[in-house]
Every structure is written in structure tokens, then in C-alpha cells.
Amino acid sequence: MERTGGRAEVLRLKPRTEISNSRVRTNIAMIPEPEQAAGGTREAVEDIDYPARRELDRAQIRQLANCRWVQEHHNILITGATGTGKTFVACALAHKACRSGHRALYRRASRLFDELTLARADGTYARVLHRVARIDVLIIDDWALAAVHEQERQDLLEILEDRHGTRSTIVTSQLPVAKWHAHIGDPTLADAICDRLLHNAHRLVLKGPSRRKEAQAE
């Protein structure tokens, strides 16, 4: 984690969550849903379960747990309905990467774009992008929950262009990957974004009922 003027920073703002060298630093006040915070419950690949209705490939998770995907700068795309455990799996894989010596950063997509908007307004946009580009594993959680605005398309392309072939990105979304291009809207930018995200990407599709609802029912 970088320090500026004695205060910890990841972007230009106080970090919501950073995972680094298997330690998690979290500002609890900024996390409205603890189960969605990277590391809020110290997710680990060893704690991922595999009920048949989830259709999660144990062999694929075991392969990803060796962190070769980080070394080879591959991406991971995790899709599925709300409550199926996308964030948990993403953070568990990021934790495993941290335990292997890599640095990871978690951001909900909406928060990431808000921070970039503020950075653009105060002239620190390039510096923020540079810091994001240096993170080994970037988690963009809950992408495509809402329509993508023009500036968000540009921001996402900037992030992915900086990271393509040099870093790894995990994206979680309720929207199936096949619908991402149309959701982005602008065909030219959609081509560029999808090309950088999908190239050498490992895909996980989580199925089954909401695990949160099941937990509440118990």
C-alpha cells in the first residue's frame, strides 16, 4: 500500500479495501455490505463449497488457486445471478494471490468510476490510473448493474489498456459475458473493451439460488 503524507492511499482517496501480502486493511465505515467487501470475512479458496446446483468446477478453482493466471497476466470473469457468491469467489482468488506475494485491490464498479470522476475534476486522473495500473490483481465487482455512460466506457478502456498483458483483472457481473458488448453501447469502444477483457480470460458461471437467501432461511 502506498503512503502519501503519512496516510495510506490506494487511489487518491482513502481505500475501501486493499488486500496486500495476505493482510487486509479495511475502513469498516465505508462498507455498507460486509459480505461484499474484499476480505471482509477473510475469504479463502479453501472455504469455497461445491454443491451440485452451483455447477462450480472444483478442478478449475484448484487450477486458478496456483496463481499462474496472475503470473501470466490473465483475467477472470465471474458471472451469475445475485447472491450466488461471485464476490466471495473473486476475493478468495485475490487472497490466494496475495498469499503468493501479489498485491490486489477491490472496488465496486460504481465506486471505481466515482473515484475516477473526482480525480478528473481535481487534476489527479493520470496519477490515479497509474496507481491502478500497478496493482497485480484488480477486482471490479458488480459491473454492468446499470447503463454504462460515455465517460465510464472511456475510463474502463483506459484501465484495461494500461493493464492488458501486464496485470490481471477480475470482473464480476450479473450480466452474462455474451451480453457485455451490447451493454457497453458504443460498438467501437465495446470491441476494444471486450477484446482486452476476454482475451486469455478464465470464465466462471455460478448458478443456483441466492446463497444469502438460503442463509437467512436457516
Side-chain angles (χ1 to χ4, degrees):
M1 180 180 290
E2 300 178 7
R3 293 186 178 275
T4 303
R7 295 180 61 185
E9 293 187 349
V10 178
L11 303 182
R12 56 175 290 283
L13 302 176
K14 195 171 184 179
R16 181 180 183 185
T17 304
E18 182 185 14
I19 317 166
S20 182
N21 297 328
S22 79
R23 296 190 303 274
V24 182
R25 301 176 179 88
T26 306
N27 182 357
I28 299 299
M30 297 177 69
I31 303 174
E33 304 96 11
E35 72 277 8
Q36 291 184 345
T41 54
R42 297 295 176 109
E43 295 88 340
V45 291
E46 296 82 2
D47 296 328
I48 296 174
D49 55 7
Y50 303 89
R53 64 183 181 279
R54 201 176 193 190
E55 298 186 26
L56 184 58
D57 188 340
R58 187 188 298 267
Q60 185 179 20
I61 295 296
R62 187 182 301 117
Q63 179 186 28
L64 293 173
N66 67 21
C67 294
R68 187 170 179 178
W69 62 277
V70 184
Q71 299 163 9
E72 297 180 346
H73 313 307
H74 292 179
N75 299 326
I76 298 178
L77 313 178
I78 307 175
T79 57
T82 184
T84 52
K86 300 182 298 295
T87 301
F88 187 97
V89 173
C91 294
L93 292 170
H95 270 292
K96 186 61 171 64
C98 290
R99 289 177 358 224
S100 298
H102 302 288
R103 299 177 68 235
L105 171 68
Y106 170 93
R107 278 293 187 274
R108 283 177 60 88
S110 57
R111 176 64 61 86
L112 176 62
F113 292 134
D114 285 348
E115 291 175 346
L116 290 171
T117 297
L118 291 173
R120 188 178 296 102
D122 66 12
T124 60
Y125 184 72
R127 189 164 74 230
V128 170
L129 287 178
H130 177 67
R131 290 178 179 173
V132 172
R134 292 170 56 190
I135 296 293
D136 298 315
V137 178
L138 171 65
I139 302 174
I140 303 177
D141 193 23
D142 274 341
W143 183 74
L145 280 180
V148 182
H149 302 301
E150 174 62 27
Q151 194 57 65
E152 293 174 350
R153 288 192 285 263
Q154 296 284 352
D155 288 341
L156 183 57
L157 180 58
E158 289 288 347
I159 290 171
L160 297 176
E161 177 64 26
D162 287 345
R163 301 178 61 78
H164 182 61
T166 62
R167 297 290 188 271
S168 297
T169 304
I170 302 176
V171 178
T172 78
S173 178
Q174 294 183 35
L175 194 68
V177 172
K179 296 183 178 181
W180 287 10
H181 190 282
H183 182 78
I184 292 169
D186 183 299
T188 302
L189 290 180
D191 283 346
I193 289 169
C194 289
D195 178 67
R196 287 158 179 77
L197 267 180
L198 275 57
H199 179 66
N200 288 334
H202 304 268
R203 303 189 191 187
L204 300 174
V205 180
L206 305 187
K207 299 182 179 181
S210 169
R211 299 171 70 79
R212 282 191 287 269
K213 289 182 179 179
E214 286 185 328
Q216 292 172 357
E218 294 175 0

